[in-house]
């Protein structure tokens, strides 16, 4: 059996100098809040997102699974993120996500916050088409359907572009 030393999380961040070096890259990451929808109890997707975002140089606050809308609002006020990333694995992302983003947009101090959603957004599968247009209309800045994979999400983060819908074959 082999063991490997764990690197401290801070040493993997690109926007913070390694301890004792006095220098670091000039890239400044964003503050990102990661959450699931209220009915989603899956956590590995949130851990994956956190690690991905940290490797890209962002500072991540992961508030976990089954997050009620009120807690999401409170944490957005506490953390003051540059971006909120909502993930869904159970297929209720379209329903719960739309409600959550409407609640965020109803709060005057959170109205301008960038919010994206991704994952399995519906329970009927790929034959249901895309949920993107309705989620953009509800208030999301970008939607990443599960079939799109992570590359479109990474590209969005790097350019922080216009409203986007990504799914296999649908844009």
């Amino acid at each position: 059996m082999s063991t490997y030393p764990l690197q401290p999380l801070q040493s993997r961040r690109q926007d913070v100098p390694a301890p004792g070096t006095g220098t670091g890259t000039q890239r400044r990451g964003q503050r990102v809040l990661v959450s699931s929808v209220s009915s989603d109890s899956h956590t590995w997707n949130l851990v994956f997102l956190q690690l991905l975002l940290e490797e890209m140089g962002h500072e991540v606050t992961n508030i976990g699974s089954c997050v009620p809308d009120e807690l999401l609002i409170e944490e957005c006020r506490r953390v003051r993120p540059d971006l909120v990333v909502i993930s869904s694995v159970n297929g209720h992302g379209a329903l719960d996500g739309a409600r959550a983003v409407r609640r965020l947009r109803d709060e005057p101090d959170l109205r301008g916050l960038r919010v994206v959603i991704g994952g399995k957004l519906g329970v009927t599968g790929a034959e249901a088409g895309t949920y993107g247009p309705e989620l953009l209309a509800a208030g999301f800045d970008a939607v990443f359907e599960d079939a799109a994979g992570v590359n479109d999400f990474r590209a969005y983060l790097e350019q922080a572009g216009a409203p986007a819908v990504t799914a296999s074959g649908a844009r």
Side-chain angles (χ1 to χ4, degrees), residues 122-152:
V123 294
T124 56
E127 68 274 1
T130 181
Y131 293 93
E134 68 187 63
L135 289 169
L136 289 174
F140 282 102
D141 295 293
V143 177
F144 302 92
E145 305 263 3
D146 61 343
V150 74
N151 289 334
D152 288 338

Side-chain angles (χ1 to χ4, degrees), residues 52-138:
L52 173 72
L53 290 161
E54 287 174 344
E55 282 195 6
M56 293 180 73
H58 303 293
E59 177 185 328
V60 179
T61 301
N62 184 340
I63 61 174
S65 62
C66 294
V67 176
D69 298 348
E70 283 301 319
L71 179 59
L72 178 62
I73 291 168
E74 288 173 23
E75 288 300 297
C76 286
R77 286 188 172 127
R78 184 183 70 80
V79 174
R80 293 292 180 201
D82 301 305
L83 173 67
V84 175
V85 176
I86 298 178
S87 178
S88 174
V89 173
N90 69 1
H92 297 124
L95 179 64
D96 291 346
R99 185 194 62 245
V101 78
R102 283 188 197 106
R103 294 282 314 275
L104 282 171
R105 299 298 184 221
D106 284 344
E107 300 295 322
D109 59 324
L110 301 175
R111 194 166 289 144
L113 184 60
R114 248 183 343 136
V115 184
V116 302
I117 189 169
K120 185 176 178 193
L121 302 175
V123 294
T124 56
E127 68 274 1
T130 181
Y131 293 93
E134 68 187 63
L135 289 169
L136 289 174

Side-chain angles (χ1 to χ4, degrees), residues 5-28:
L6 294 175
Q7 291 182 335
L9 287 179
Q10 186 173 1
S11 70
R12 292 186 304 153
R13 290 196 34 214
Q14 298 171 4
D15 62 335
V16 175
T21 64
T23 62
T25 64
Q26 295 300 312
R27 181 175 180 186
R28 181 197 171 276

